[in-house]
Amino acid sequence: MFAFLIRRTAYGLITVLGVLALLFVLFFLYAKPIDIARRAVGEKAPPEVLEKWIENHGYDRPVLEQLKDHYRRMLTFDFGRSDLDDSSIKERIRRGVVPSLTLTLPLFFMGLFVSIGLSLFVAYFRETYIDRAGVALCVFGMSVSILIYIIGGQFVIGKMLRWFPISGFDPTPALIARFMALPVIIGILSTFGSDVRFYRTVFVEESNRDYVRTARAKGCGDGRIMARHVLPNAMIPILTRVVVAIPFLFTGSLLLEAFFGIPGLGSMTVDAINGNDFSTLRAMVFIGSLLFIGGQILTDVSYTLVDPRVRLG
Amino acid sequence: MSVVLRVRELSTSFSGPGGRVCVVDGVSLELAEGEILALVGESGCGKSVTALSILRLVPKPGRIDAGEIEIDGQDVLALSVSAMRRLRGGDAAMIFQEPMTSLNPVQTVGSQVVEAIRLHDSVSQSLARRRTVELFEQVRIPDATDRFEAYPHQLSGGLKQRVMIAMALALRPKLLIADEPSTALDVTIQAQILELMRDLQRDLGTAILLITHDLGVVNELADRIAVMYAGRIVEEGARKEVLSGARHPYTRGLMRSIPSLARRGEPLAEISGVVPSPSEWPAGCRFSTRCDVVFERCRAEVPGPTRLSNTHSTRCHVVEREESA
Amino acid sequence: MEPHTISNIVVASLIAAGGWAWTRAARSDLWRNAARELRQRRPVALAVIAIFVAVGLLDAVAWIGGGEGAENTLAQSKPRSLVDRLFPIGFKEASYSAPLAQAEFYGGKPLKFPARHLLGTDILGRDVLHLSLKGVRIALLIGGLTSLIVIPLALFLGISAGYFGGRTDDVVFFVMSTLASIPSLLLLIALIMALGRGPVQVCVAMGVTSWVGFCRIVRGEAFKLRELDYVQAARALGVPEFRIILSHILPNLMHLVVITFVLLFSGLVLSEAILAWLGIGIDGSWGQMVDQARDELARDPVVWWNLMAASSALFGLILAVNLVGDAIRDILDPRTLRENL
């Protein structure tokens, strides 16, 4: 197991190096320094000011040197300063983590609870009207863009019914739930369709396996079969999907944060896009990848815990 | 001798894109205490579905349409869900064909047998554990105590099937339904499993309904044989009566098709044609499309049973005509 | 060559290619049966898709000149598609107007074309129905062009990796892992910012972020197919690898191609909507309409028709494609894709 972990992490690190190379190609070879400078300082700025800016930010050095610098800095998490407002990227990241988590943690756990619960319910009644209606609802839900969920949700729940404030963020513990309620609800609703559909398929497929027939033949009731036989086996594919999503708890949901005015990492990324802030964007993509790779390693490790065939070979 | 299993006019059908298709059509069987009845037939004749129907394990979209099933005097089709659960694994058990996939891959084999025990007997965990190890020894699993903690993927097919047998016999059922228990195993292991089943049956006195398409297996184990074709029983009788004295053209065709050392060098005999699918069953006698002694009545009328002895009967117009002559 | 001429040629060749593929497929039992079953299972969804495709094709055939209302010569000199020609030239108001209204929404001034705007007009006075119809072509472009990039790329790399194995596989697998390690939305954004914001660049960017999933599947399948008896026999007989791939491997992957194409389509269109909201989508797409309509619900009185039209069109197409895609998957493939897509 230990050897497996080492190997897996090593491959992950190599992948990280690959990701960094790709990022470098994307950001430096395609974006001309003069354009970045113009965007940061202003279109009308005189050439000397632009050149000074380029020199300050190190965009005028030879490519190989920039590449080495890129690797060195990224791997030491020295993200530098934003192209837009020269603020420390690392600081902004530090400040943005908590707001992002206040959105994504409840979203993740409640979403998981609700989706798995409902898909178990639908799978239990498979091939009946409940199941068919459930699947139809899921397909409908999947076909609606998340934008519509957000806009519609804000309108219906926020404006018409006035249950929760439409947007805004207040970190004081007493008020935070009210502000988080709408984005969490809408976030769950938007991925509900595809999640339940996926989990249901997994549960139904496991329910049709031979060992379930054996369990029934030895006298297990349907409920026990679901809980003790189907669920543990279904965990294996479900875990892939779930654990991989954990890293995104940190990077936050771009759309939800922007629409609901939550000052987290997602908002930061959206601002970077709108302002062509390559430095910040580069840092965000890098962090996203690190977390993603970490999530994949976590998934592989969780397999060994859940599936004896993987653990014992 | 009491009757452990009585099936009368069982009919099971499946609904599909073309409508409802009947797969088991009016099957009747009887199994006495301690007896081994082999239900023989080609793939697709409905024998597995018959077996599943007896314990009401037919998967949707299948449905038992008609008939009576009695196990140890209980009317199975009228049992409540919880009574059915008590019956399964308790007085009546079933083992299946594919040992590779019939065990839960994420639980130890021991815990699965323990589950079977504790579902029916309120014993402590440790007592159930001990009984499981004893059962493993009874089914001749070497290193029984160690094997308790093994996962299914760590065991060979033969060992897995022994575990299944142990699980099925854990509560000393009166009836064991074995659906092609040795088909998926290597020939040498097959022989071992069959020998095991014979010994266990002798020790425990369990009645066994053995589903198989392998006449060799039948010869080894069966006391009585029922031959099934296209959803119906076409001949049944004591082992010798059916194996050596078959009267139904289908059974005779089956016996003829067994390659024999005595007839070396001769072309292999075959039954011409193919088994019709349930949606294409001919009216009248279902074997009429392939029978070599068929006459008009066969195609028009479904043959009724013809008694040939106390234990031997068949459903064939030709035999009926011969017998009344 | 004018862009609209290119577009006309592309449409003509698409129809020709489609016809050719149709006749090829009609010869095989598998595809004929599949098509029949699909028609039985999802007639409504198929009809809806057919209508959308028809509108999209109509919108892609354009030329300059003709049409009534000769006052606006500037508009006359721009190429107008068959869809554009359903509407009079200069079919614009000053600003918002409700569906079938006689007067402007804010202010009440009489319209230039009273009661003729079936779905009203947007903030710039453009007819909403017209915009929605033009969005069809964009949506088809997003799904179609991007898939045209994704599928051949994934097939090429996947077959190379799975069939030839060894070093090729190592390289391809590494590239896949690296790309897959970057969260797709972020990669998409990075690519578009690097490549530029035109429609082709957006499609290329979406293609780059979408090929890995399908490639993985192709790679696995190619690996399995390679071990098949008749493939091994062909190799033993000395048949050149290229022919083996063409005659044995590729045809056995076609059903996966069809399923992937359909299921990918809806994902791509929905992704573009998000890009449009971020300001980096394709001009004229429904996503952009939704983005522009974002604040309209907050107005008082509420302007709802713009958002309704765009989201309904989006929903209609995506739902139809999802339903057909599910049916196709059930018909063509028992197991491979269930766990992966």
Side-chain angles (χ1 to χ4, degrees):
Chain A
M1 223 293 258
F2 199 52
F4 171 73
L5 203 61
I6 302 275
R7 247 183 307 131
R8 195 66 190 77
T9 319
Y11 196 78
L13 281 173
I14 300 177
T15 315
V16 169
L17 296 178
V19 169
L20 284 174
L22 183 63
L23 280 184
F24 184 76
V25 167
L26 275 183
F27 282 110
F28 288 100
L29 265 46
Y30 272 95
K32 294 205 256 316
I34 195 86
D35 292 327
I36 306 177
R38 258 201 218 109
R39 273 192 282 259
V41 181
E43 287 289 334
K44 307 282 183 56
E48 320 86 60
V49 176
L50 291 174
E51 278 181 30
K52 201 76 215 293
W53 191 94
I54 290 177
E55 212 186 295
N56 277 340
H57 286 246
Y59 285 127
D60 59 342
R61 293 167 300 159
V63 177
L64 218 58
E65 208 190 302
Q66 286 198 48
L67 182 66
K68 275 193 284 183
D69 189 53
H70 166 82
Y71 267 95
R72 183 182 51 84
R73 290 178 54 197
M74 287 284 111
L75 289 173
T76 55
F77 297 104
D78 174 15
F79 295 130
R81 304 194 152 270
S82 155
D83 283 343
L84 273 186
D85 59 3
D86 235 29
S87 58
S88 159
I89 296 180
K90 209 189 256 185
E91 255 318 295
R92 290 192 60 193
I93 290 178
R94 205 174 307 204
R95 268 184 288 140
V97 172
V98 173
S100 284
L101 283 178
T102 54
L103 170 65
T104 50
L105 276 179
L107 183 62
F108 177 73
F109 284 109
M110 288 187 2
L112 199 63
F113 187 69
V114 172
S115 330
I116 292 194
L118 232 98
S119 32
L120 268 174
F121 178 74
V122 170
Y124 185 79
F125 289 105
R126 64 185 173 282
E127 308 291 339
T128 64
Y129 286 112
I130 296 181
D131 184 32
R132 271 191 267 268
V135 172
L137 216 71
C138 286
V139 178
F140 267 71
M142 278 166 63
S143 306
V144 177
S145 169
I146 182 173
L147 297 176
I148 308 297
Y149 277 114
I150 295 178
I151 297 175
Q154 278 183 323
F155 182 68
V156 170
I157 302 180
K159 194 176 179 198
M160 276 173 47
L161 298 173
R162 292 187 183 279
W163 283 348
F164 302 109
I166 291 183
S167 67
F169 182 78
D170 191 320
T172 55
L175 294 175
I176 197 151
R178 289 195 67 228
F179 284 104
M180 283 298 124
L182 197 53
V184 168
I185 292 175
I186 290 180
I188 294 179
L189 273 179
S190 63
T191 54
F192 197 62
S194 74
D195 282 347
V196 171
R197 188 106 191 287
F198 175 75
Y199 296 143
R200 174 207 167 268
T201 307
V202 172
F203 288 134
V204 167
E205 286 219 332
E206 286 304 313
S207 302
N208 287 331
R209 298 226 194 271
D210 286 342
Y211 65 82
V212 169
R213 182 180 57 176
T214 307
R216 196 163 280 131
K218 72 185 184 190
C220 280
D222 282 334
R224 195 189 165 91
I225 287 179
M226 263 303 176
R228 295 287 205 111
H229 291 269
V230 171
L231 196 54
N233 277 283
M235 271 303 128
I236 298 167
I238 288 180
L239 224 49
T240 326
R241 199 174 149 114
V242 166
V243 175
V244 156
I246 288 184
F248 291 92
L249 300 186
F250 294 94
T251 50
S253 164
L254 299 188
L255 290 166
L256 289 175
E257 287 190 17
F259 263 100
F260 289 96
I262 300 169
L265 296 177
S267 281
M268 211 171 116
T269 313
V270 173
D271 291 338
I273 299 167
N274 288 330
N276 285 318
D277 183 349
F278 281 86
S279 296
T280 308
L281 209 52
R282 180 178 52 153
M284 294 311 300
V285 176
F286 177 61
I287 292 188
S289 310
L290 271 184
L291 294 173
F292 205 33
I293 295 173
Q296 286 169 335
I297 297 181
L298 217 78
T299 316
D300 287 347
V301 169
S302 63
Y303 275 157
T304 61
L305 295 173
V306 164
D307 189 346
R309 289 167 290 193
V310 173
R311 200 181 336 149
L312 302 166
Chain B
M1 279 288 219
S2 59
V3 169
V4 164
L5 171 68
R6 179 175 285 132
V7 176
R8 268 205 263 270
E9 296 296 313
L10 172 67
S11 285
T12 307
S13 63
F14 282 82
S15 75
R20 278 220 91 89
V21 171
C22 182
V23 174
V24 177
D25 189 14
V27 164
S28 301
L29 296 170
E30 251 182 49
L31 196 54
E33 199 183 315
E35 214 181 14
I36 301 184
L37 170 65
L39 183 56
V40 180
E42 292 171 84
S43 311
C45 69
K47 49 192 202 299
S48 282
V49 177
T50 306
L52 290 171
S53 303
I54 293 176
L55 283 183
R56 285 165 64 180
L57 287 173
V58 180
K60 280 192 275 236
R63 188 180 67 193
I64 299 178
D65 291 324
E68 284 165 34
I69 304 174
E70 255 181 52
I71 297 181
D72 204 27
Q74 291 181 69
D75 181 359
V76 170
L77 294 176
L79 284 180
S80 69
V81 170
S82 52
M84 202 63 222
R85 266 191 264 140
R86 274 196 301 274
L87 175 66
R88 291 189 194 126
D91 277 340
M94 187 161 176
I95 60 178
F96 300 94
Q97 178 176 354
E98 313 89 351
M100 307 304 278
T101 49
S102 291
L103 290 170
N104 188 338
V106 300
Q107 286 182 1
T108 63
V109 294
S111 63
Q112 296 185 49
V113 178
V114 165
E115 183 184 28
I117 296 175
R118 297 189 76 205
L119 277 170
H120 298 272
D121 247 347
S122 50
V123 292
S124 70
Q125 177 82 8
S126 51
L127 191 63
R129 212 196 139 96
R130 255 180 291 147
R131 267 173 65 179
T132 303
V133 175
E134 275 166 29
L135 281 162
F136 278 7
E137 286 166 354
Q138 258 191 302
V139 295
R140 301 173 197 157
I141 295 177
D143 301 316
T145 334
D146 293 332
R147 286 292 208 272
F148 186 94
E149 306 290 346
Y151 286 94
H153 72 278
Q154 295 171 308
L155 300 179
S156 69
L159 280 180
K160 279 202 270 264
Q161 198 63 303
R162 290 173 199 270
V163 170
M164 294 282 293
I165 295 174
M167 198 156 67
L169 297 177
L171 290 123
R172 306 183 153 245
K174 298 209 169 73
L175 169 68
L176 172 67
I177 304 177
D179 188 358
E180 311 244 25
S182 57
T183 306
L185 304 169
D186 290 336
V187 177
T188 41
I189 312 291
Q190 262 188 40
Q192 290 175 9
I193 297 290
L194 293 176
E195 194 186 314
L196 172 66
M197 284 180 66
R198 189 177 46 211
D199 292 342
L200 286 174
Q201 189 266 341
R202 208 179 32 227
D203 296 336
L204 297 172
T206 316
I208 302 182
L209 175 62
L210 178 63
I211 317 278
T212 181
H213 64 269
D214 188 337
L215 291 172
V217 171
V218 172
N219 193 32
E220 282 280 320
L221 288 184
D223 296 322
R224 288 173 44 227
I225 305 175
V227 179
M228 199 164 167
Y229 183 82
R232 292 210 189 104
I233 308 265
V234 295
E235 183 158 10
E236 69 183 295
R239 186 179 82 222
K240 273 215 171 50
E241 284 173 328
V242 176
L243 288 183
S244 324
R247 295 294 297 276
H248 193 281
Y250 176 60
T251 324
R252 296 175 64 113
L254 282 182
M255 297 303 152
R256 261 199 317 263
S257 67
I258 302 174
S260 145
L261 283 174
R263 300 199 305 261
R264 277 176 76 173
E266 283 180 22
L268 293 173
E270 58 162 23
I271 308 175
S272 65
V274 285
V275 182
S277 72
S279 45
E280 296 165 0
W281 280 344
C285 173
R286 300 229 170 101
F287 189 59
S288 54
T289 51
R290 307 168 70 188
C291 185
D292 48 4
V293 293
V294 62
F295 64 105
E296 319 81 62
R297 192 171 169 217
C298 302
R299 286 188 254 268
E301 244 179 83
V302 174
T306 308
R307 285 238 102 157
L308 299 166
S309 81
N310 263 350
T311 44
H312 190 184
S313 77
T314 184
R315 285 171 178 264
C316 177
H317 290 305
V318 177
V319 176
E320 194 181 333
R321 195 173 51 179
E322 283 172 12
E323 288 298 298
S324 53
Chain C
M1 208 187 291
E2 303 288 312
H4 68 274
T5 321
I6 300 180
S7 150
N8 292 349
I9 294 177
V10 167
V11 171
S13 22
L14 271 178
I15 295 180
W20 174 82
W22 194 267
T23 44
R24 276 301 293 283
R27 264 188 262 152
S28 134
D29 267 342
L30 168 71
W31 295 108
R32 258 210 317 272
N33 290 338
R36 190 171 12 109
E37 233 197 283
L38 189 62
R39 273 199 302 275
Q40 280 177 340
R41 283 206 206 188
R42 295 264 185 266
V44 177
L46 277 177
V48 168
I49 293 180
I51 295 176
F52 274 104
V53 170
V55 173
L57 287 176
L58 287 178
D59 194 32
V61 174
W63 68 94
I64 303 180
E68 36 169 282
E71 5 147 332
N72 204 336
T73 45
L74 178 62
Q76 283 258 24
S77 67
K78 283 214 290 262
R80 298 169 65 230
S81 76
L82 283 169
V83 166
D84 291 327
R85 287 163 196 274
L86 288 173
F87 303 91
I89 293 187
F91 196 46
K92 257 181 64 136
E93 307 294 341
S95 183
Y96 287 117
S97 76
L100 292 174
Q102 309 264 8
E104 284 183 20
F105 197 63
Y106 298 114
K109 271 174 57 189
L111 297 176
K112 279 195 236 138
F113 298 88
R116 283 190 64 183
H117 295 287
L118 286 174
L119 293 177
T121 56
D122 71 354
I123 192 169
L124 295 176
R126 297 175 295 190
D127 181 71
V128 170
L129 179 60
H130 187 193
L131 287 178
S132 309
L133 288 178
K134 289 199 82 65
V136 175
R137 182 177 66 94
I138 310 282
L140 294 181
L141 184 77
I142 294 167
L145 185 60
T146 314
S147 299
L148 223 65
I149 299 171
V150 166
I151 289 176
L153 182 65
L155 278 176
F156 176 69
L157 289 176
I159 293 180
S160 309
Y163 187 78
F164 292 112
R167 283 251 161 256
T168 324
D169 186 28
D170 288 337
V171 169
V172 171
F173 191 73
F174 180 68
V175 172
M176 286 202 304
S177 303
T178 309
L179 268 182
S181 302
I182 308 179
S184 37
L185 187 57
L186 294 178
L187 180 60
L188 200 50
I189 293 167
L191 278 168
I192 293 179
M193 306 218 6
L195 295 174
R197 301 185 180 195
V200 177
Q201 289 96 319
V202 171
C203 287
V204 168
M206 288 205 290
V208 170
T209 47
S210 320
W211 66 272
V212 176
F214 184 48
C215 190
R216 244 189 222 129
I217 296 172
V218 169
R219 175 175 170 269
E221 283 299 299
F223 191 70
K224 274 190 263 174
L225 286 170
R226 179 161 147 268
E227 306 299 320
L228 283 179
D229 288 340
Y230 61 85
V231 171
Q232 297 208 24
R235 293 168 83 198
L237 282 172
V239 179
E241 308 277 33
F242 185 65
R243 270 202 72 84
I244 296 182
I245 293 179
L246 221 58
S247 337
H248 296 303
I249 311 282
L250 208 51
N252 281 311
L253 293 171
M254 273 304 129
H255 66 292
L256 291 177
V257 167
V258 171
I259 298 173
T260 307
F261 173 74
V262 182
L263 293 181
L264 205 56
F265 189 93
S266 40
L268 290 170
V269 175
L270 288 176
S271 297
E272 190 276 339
I274 296 181
L275 292 178
W277 177 80
L278 288 169
I280 46 182
I282 298 181
D283 268 338
S285 70
W286 293 320
Q288 205 182 52
M289 281 174 75
V290 169
D291 180 42
Q292 286 165 351
R294 184 183 0 158
D295 300 316
E296 289 173 3
L297 287 182
R299 289 167 174 264
D300 195 15
V302 166
V303 171
W304 51 269
W305 47 92
N306 202 6
L307 190 64
M308 181 67 51
S311 45
S312 307
L314 194 58
F315 178 67
L317 180 60
I318 305 277
L319 182 65
V321 170
N322 275 341
L323 288 174
V324 167
D326 281 347
I328 288 184
R329 182 174 50 191
D330 287 340
I331 295 172
L332 284 180
D333 174 74
R335 185 156 287 271
T336 327
L337 295 189
R338 289 282 165 81
E339 290 111 46
N340 294 306
L341 285 184

